[in-house]
Amino acid sequence: MTSVTRAVFGDLPSGEGTVEKFQLQSDLLKVDIISWGCTITALEVKDRQGRTSDVVLGFAKLEGYLQKQPYFGAVVGRVANRIAKGTFTLDGKEYKLAANNGPNSLHGGVRGFDKVLWTPQVLSNGVEFSRISPDGEEGYPGELKVWVTYTLDGGELMVNYRAQANQTTPVNLTNHSYFNLAGQGSPNIYDHEVTIEADAFLPVDETLIPTGEVVPVQGTAFDLRKPVELGKHLQESHINGFDHNFCLKGSKEKRFCARVHHAGSGRVLEVYTTQPGVQFYTGNFLDGMLKGKSGAVYPKHSGFCLETQNWPNAVNQPHFPPVLLRPGEEYDHTTWFKFSVA
């Protein structure tokens, strides 16, 4: 059984509305999600001793999410990840987006889906959020109707994304939760064992835009098909961290994508998705400057993201999986976060 409770999380400044918090609870998980950015603010999981810890980075109060912060727990869009130089051409017309990440556009622009109030509807085992992104919002063409649904079943949190457009537009939605299976506020994720079921990855340039090549992981630091202990792997591979798209086998069916095991607590996170890619990000830009829940600070490599999504900059790379949503079509993707103890 899943219970759903609803409470006020805070009021937006200058009377823009009230942000609500929805708590989904099963016998194995407790998840808090707010209507600001469809953001997961807390996710409590038991360890092998039955002790509960919150395993996502974030803030206890609304003010934390209104400041400049790295998308903790939020749904990002209209297009997640980076678009090179913030431009793309569609049907012969060039569209210019905000360059909010060096020369590139990141996670939907200056005021993406993470920085807006969504309309909630309580379900028997979860909550559905909806909004209409108006034509021209953040430079994107067409009106886009969007629904994001979180449902909880035992140890599995399911996130479904749906969208419909009245004009052709790129769409790529994901959740940007930062996990630390030792418990949020733990200093790093080096003792986490990571597996990603991907035979290829996308190399990137110095601004983290894919070069266009699709490279086999075999014989590289990106071969995570067998479990690696993260800290040791980064050290041995001489890399600063991951912020790369791993290419999954294209399919509309639910399929295994990644597994992370924290030996100390026994917690395991498995990710399943219908998306063609997953951005594995190891919190390289976290700098310890933000104060999170229970006074925790979040230094570099203190959380990881597994952002299931289409490939970055796909709108400018014709050989990448298609990212355009046309009128009469429906964007419909699901990701499952499954927690257990080993």
Side-chain angles (χ1 to χ4, degrees), residues 155-198:
E156 191 169 75
L157 177 67
M158 183 171 94
V159 194
N160 174 257
Y161 308 90
R162 286 172 49 234
Q164 295 166 353
N166 68 356
Q167 219 179 305
T168 302
T169 187
V171 181
N172 183 23
L173 304 174
T174 193
N175 177 279
H176 207 298
S177 286
Y178 289 71
F179 298 97
N180 187 319
L181 298 183
Q184 72 88 30
S186 299
N188 59 59
I189 48 172
Y190 299 143
D191 58 353
H192 287 51
E193 205 177 68
V194 180
T195 313
I196 297 180
E197 186 69 32

Coordinates of all heavy atoms in Angstrom, one line a residue, residues 155-198:
G155 N 9.3 -0.7 -3.2 CA 10.7 0.0 -3.3 C 10.9 0.7 -4.6 O 12.1 1.0 -4.9
E156 N 9.9 0.8 -5.4 CA 10.1 1.3 -6.8 C 9.3 2.7 -6.9 O 8.1 2.7 -6.8 CB 9.6 0.3 -7.8 CG 9.9 0.6 -9.2 CD 9.7 -0.6 -10.1 OE1 8.5 -0.8 -10.4 OE2 10.6 -1.3 -10.5
L157 N 10.1 3.7 -7.3 CA 9.5 5.0 -7.7 C 9.5 5.1 -9.2 O 10.6 5.0 -9.8 CB 10.3 6.1 -7.0 CG 9.9 7.5 -7.4 CD1 8.5 7.9 -6.8 CD2 10.9 8.6 -6.9
M158 N 8.3 5.3 -9.7 CA 8.2 5.4 -11.2 C 7.9 6.9 -11.6 O 7.1 7.5 -10.9 CB 7.0 4.5 -11.7 CG 6.9 4.5 -13.2 SD 5.7 3.2 -13.6 CE 4.2 4.3 -13.7
V159 N 8.6 7.3 -12.6 CA 8.4 8.7 -13.1 C 8.0 8.6 -14.6 O 8.8 8.1 -15.4 CB 9.7 9.6 -12.9 CG1 9.4 11.1 -13.2 CG2 10.4 9.4 -11.6
N160 N 6.9 9.1 -14.9 CA 6.4 9.1 -16.3 C 6.3 10.5 -16.8 O 5.8 11.4 -16.1 CB 5.0 8.4 -16.4 CG 4.4 8.5 -17.8 OD1 3.5 9.3 -18.0 ND2 5.0 7.8 -18.7
Y161 N 6.8 10.8 -18.0 CA 6.8 12.1 -18.6 C 6.0 12.0 -19.9 O 6.3 11.2 -20.7 CB 8.2 12.5 -19.0 CG 9.2 12.4 -17.9 CD1 10.0 11.3 -17.7 CD2 9.5 13.5 -17.0 CE1 10.9 11.2 -16.7 CE2 10.4 13.4 -16.0 CZ 11.1 12.3 -15.9 OH 12.1 12.2 -14.9
R162 N 5.0 12.9 -20.0 CA 4.2 13.0 -21.3 C 4.2 14.4 -21.7 O 4.1 15.3 -20.9 CB 2.8 12.4 -21.0 CG 2.7 10.9 -20.9 CD 1.3 10.5 -20.5 NE 0.2 11.1 -21.3 CZ -0.8 11.8 -20.8 NH1 -1.0 12.0 -19.5 NH2 -1.7 12.4 -21.7
A163 N 4.1 14.6 -23.0 CA 4.0 15.9 -23.6 C 3.3 15.9 -25.0 O 3.4 14.9 -25.7 CB 5.4 16.6 -23.7
Q164 N 2.6 17.0 -25.3 CA 2.0 17.2 -26.6 C 2.2 18.6 -27.0 O 2.1 19.5 -26.2 CB 0.4 16.9 -26.5 CG 0.1 15.5 -26.1 CD -1.4 15.4 -25.7 OE1 -2.1 16.4 -25.6 NE2 -1.8 14.1 -25.5
A165 N 2.5 18.8 -28.3 CA 2.9 20.1 -28.8 C 1.9 20.5 -30.0 O 1.4 19.6 -30.7 CB 4.3 20.1 -29.3
N166 N 1.7 21.8 -30.1 CA 0.9 22.2 -31.3 C 1.7 22.7 -32.4 O 1.2 23.2 -33.4 CB -0.1 23.3 -30.8 CG 0.5 24.6 -30.4 OD1 1.8 24.7 -30.4 ND2 -0.3 25.6 -30.1
Q167 N 3.1 22.6 -32.3 CA 4.0 23.0 -33.3 C 5.3 22.1 -33.1 O 5.5 21.7 -31.9 CB 4.4 24.5 -33.0 CG 4.6 25.3 -34.3 CD 5.0 26.7 -33.8 OE1 4.3 27.4 -33.1 NE2 6.1 27.2 -34.3
T168 N 6.0 21.8 -34.1 CA 7.2 21.0 -33.9 C 8.2 21.6 -33.0 O 8.5 22.8 -33.2 CB 7.8 20.6 -35.3 OG1 6.8 20.0 -36.1 CG2 9.0 19.7 -35.2
T169 N 8.7 20.9 -32.0 CA 9.6 21.5 -31.0 C 10.4 20.3 -30.4 O 10.0 19.2 -30.3 CB 8.8 22.2 -29.9 OG1 9.8 22.9 -29.0 CG2 8.0 21.3 -29.1
P170 N 11.7 20.6 -30.1 CA 12.5 19.6 -29.4 C 12.0 19.4 -27.9 O 11.6 20.4 -27.3 CB 13.9 20.1 -29.4 CG 13.8 21.6 -29.6 CD 12.5 21.8 -30.3
V171 N 11.9 18.1 -27.5 CA 11.5 17.8 -26.1 C 12.4 16.7 -25.6 O 12.6 15.7 -26.2 CB 10.0 17.4 -26.0 CG1 9.6 17.1 -24.6 CG2 9.1 18.4 -26.6
N172 N 12.9 17.0 -24.3 CA 13.8 16.0 -23.7 C 13.7 16.2 -22.2 O 14.2 17.2 -21.7 CB 15.2 16.1 -24.2 CG 16.1 15.1 -23.6 OD1 15.7 14.0 -23.2 ND2 17.4 15.4 -23.6
L173 N 12.9 15.4 -21.5 CA 12.6 15.6 -20.1 C 13.3 14.6 -19.2 O 13.5 13.4 -19.6 CB 11.1 15.5 -19.8 CG 10.3 16.5 -20.6 CD1 8.8 16.2 -20.4 CD2 10.6 17.9 -20.3
T174 N 13.8 15.0 -18.0 CA 14.4 14.1 -17.1 C 14.3 14.6 -15.7 O 14.0 15.8 -15.5 CB 15.9 13.8 -17.4 OG1 16.3 12.7 -16.7 CG2 16.8 15.0 -17.1
N175 N 14.6 13.8 -14.7 CA 14.7 14.2 -13.3 C 16.2 14.3 -12.9 O 17.0 13.5 -13.3 CB 14.0 13.2 -12.4 CG 14.2 13.6 -10.9 OD1 15.2 13.4 -10.3 ND2 13.2 14.3 -10.4
H176 N 16.5 15.4 -12.2 CA 17.9 15.7 -11.8 C 18.2 15.5 -10.4 O 18.9 16.3 -9.7 CB 18.2 17.2 -12.3 CG 19.6 17.4 -12.6 ND1 20.7 17.3 -11.7 CD2 20.2 17.8 -13.8 CE1 21.8 17.6 -12.3 NE2 21.6 17.9 -13.6
S177 N 17.8 14.4 -9.8 CA 18.1 14.1 -8.4 C 19.6 13.7 -8.3 O 20.1 13.0 -9.1 CB 17.3 12.9 -7.9 OG 15.9 13.4 -7.7
Y178 N 20.2 14.2 -7.2 CA 21.5 13.8 -6.8 C 21.4 12.8 -5.6 O 20.9 13.1 -4.6 CB 22.3 15.0 -6.3 CG 22.7 16.1 -7.3 CD1 21.8 16.9 -7.8 CD2 24.0 16.3 -7.6 CE1 22.1 17.9 -8.7 CE2 24.4 17.3 -8.5 CZ 23.5 18.1 -9.1 OH 23.8 19.1 -10.0
F179 N 22.0 11.6 -5.8 CA 21.9 10.6 -4.8 C 23.2 10.4 -4.1 O 24.3 10.6 -4.7 CB 21.5 9.2 -5.5 CG 20.2 9.2 -6.2 CD1 20.1 9.4 -7.6 CD2 19.0 9.0 -5.5 CE1 18.9 9.4 -8.2 CE2 17.8 8.9 -6.2 CZ 17.7 9.1 -7.5
N180 N 23.1 10.0 -2.8 CA 24.2 9.5 -2.1 C 23.7 8.4 -1.2 O 22.9 8.7 -0.2 CB 24.9 10.6 -1.2 CG 26.2 10.1 -0.6 OD1 26.2 9.0 -0.1 ND2 27.2 10.9 -0.6
L181 N 24.0 7.1 -1.5 CA 23.3 6.0 -0.8 C 23.8 5.8 0.6 O 23.2 5.1 1.4 CB 23.5 4.7 -1.7 CG 22.9 4.8 -3.1 CD1 23.0 3.4 -3.7 CD2 21.4 5.1 -3.1
A182 N 24.9 6.5 0.9 CA 25.3 6.5 2.3 C 24.5 7.5 3.2 O 24.5 7.4 4.4 CB 26.8 6.9 2.4
G183 N 23.7 8.3 2.5 CA 22.9 9.3 3.2 C 23.3 10.7 2.8 O 24.6 10.9 2.7
Q184 N 22.4 11.6 2.5 CA 22.8 12.9 2.0 C 23.6 13.6 3.1 O 23.3 13.4 4.3 CB 21.5 13.7 1.7 CG 20.6 14.2 2.8 CD 21.1 15.5 3.4 OE1 21.6 16.4 2.8 NE2 20.8 15.7 4.7
G185 N 24.6 14.4 2.7 CA 25.5 15.0 3.7 C 26.7 14.2 3.9 O 27.7 14.6 4.6
S186 N 26.8 12.9 3.4 CA 28.0 12.1 3.5 C 29.0 12.8 2.5 O 28.6 13.3 1.5 CB 27.8 10.7 3.0 OG 26.8 10.1 3.9
P187 N 30.3 12.8 2.9 CA 31.3 13.6 2.2 C 31.5 13.3 0.7 O 31.9 14.2 -0.1 CB 32.6 13.5 3.0 CG 32.4 12.2 3.8 CD 30.9 12.1 4.0
N188 N 31.4 12.0 0.3 CA 31.6 11.7 -1.1 C 30.9 10.4 -1.5 O 30.3 9.8 -0.7 CB 33.1 11.7 -1.4 CG 33.8 10.6 -0.5 OD1 33.4 9.4 -0.6 ND2 34.7 11.0 0.3
I189 N 31.1 10.1 -2.8 CA 30.4 8.9 -3.3 C 31.5 7.8 -3.7 O 31.2 6.9 -4.5 CB 29.5 9.2 -4.5 CG1 30.2 10.1 -5.5 CG2 28.2 9.8 -4.0 CD1 29.4 10.4 -6.8
Y190 N 32.7 8.0 -3.3 CA 33.8 7.2 -3.8 C 33.7 5.7 -3.4 O 34.2 4.8 -4.1 CB 35.2 7.7 -3.2 CG 35.5 9.1 -3.6 CD1 36.2 10.0 -2.7 CD2 35.2 9.5 -4.9 CE1 36.5 11.3 -3.1 CE2 35.5 10.8 -5.3 CZ 36.2 11.7 -4.4 OH 36.4 13.0 -4.8
D191 N 32.9 5.4 -2.3 CA 32.7 4.0 -2.0 C 31.5 3.4 -2.6 O 31.1 2.3 -2.2 CB 32.7 3.9 -0.4 CG 31.5 4.7 0.2 OD1 30.9 5.5 -0.5 OD2 31.3 4.6 1.4
H192 N 30.9 4.0 -3.6 CA 29.8 3.5 -4.3 C 30.3 2.7 -5.5 O 31.2 3.1 -6.2 CB 28.9 4.6 -4.9 CG 28.1 5.3 -3.8 ND1 28.6 5.8 -2.6 CD2 26.7 5.6 -3.7 CE1 27.7 6.4 -1.9 NE2 26.5 6.3 -2.6
E193 N 29.6 1.5 -5.7 CA 30.0 0.6 -6.8 C 29.0 0.8 -7.9 O 27.8 0.7 -7.7 CB 29.9 -0.8 -6.3 CG 30.7 -1.8 -7.0 CD 30.6 -3.2 -6.3 OE1 29.5 -3.8 -6.4 OE2 31.6 -3.6 -5.7
V194 N 29.4 1.2 -9.1 CA 28.6 1.6 -10.2 C 28.6 0.7 -11.4 O 29.7 0.2 -11.8 CB 28.9 3.0 -10.7 CG1 28.0 3.5 -11.8 CG2 28.9 4.0 -9.5
T195 N 27.5 0.3 -12.0 CA 27.4 -0.4 -13.2 C 26.5 0.3 -14.2 O 25.4 0.7 -13.7 CB 26.8 -1.8 -13.0 OG1 27.4 -2.4 -11.8 CG2 26.9 -2.7 -14.2
I196 N 26.9 0.5 -15.4 CA 26.0 1.1 -16.4 C 26.0 0.2 -17.6 O 27.0 -0.1 -18.2 CB 26.4 2.5 -16.8 CG1 26.3 3.5 -15.6 CG2 25.5 3.1 -17.9 CD1 26.7 4.9 -15.8
E197 N 24.8 -0.2 -18.0 CA 24.6 -1.2 -19.1 C 24.6 -0.5 -20.5 O 23.6 -0.3 -21.1 CB 23.2 -1.9 -18.9 CG 22.9 -3.0 -19.8 CD 23.8 -4.3 -19.6 OE1 24.2 -4.5 -18.5 OE2 24.1 -4.9 -20.6
A198 N 25.8 0.0 -20.9 CA 25.9 0.7 -22.1 C 27.2 0.3 -22.8 O 28.3 0.2 -22.2 CB 26.0 2.2 -21.8

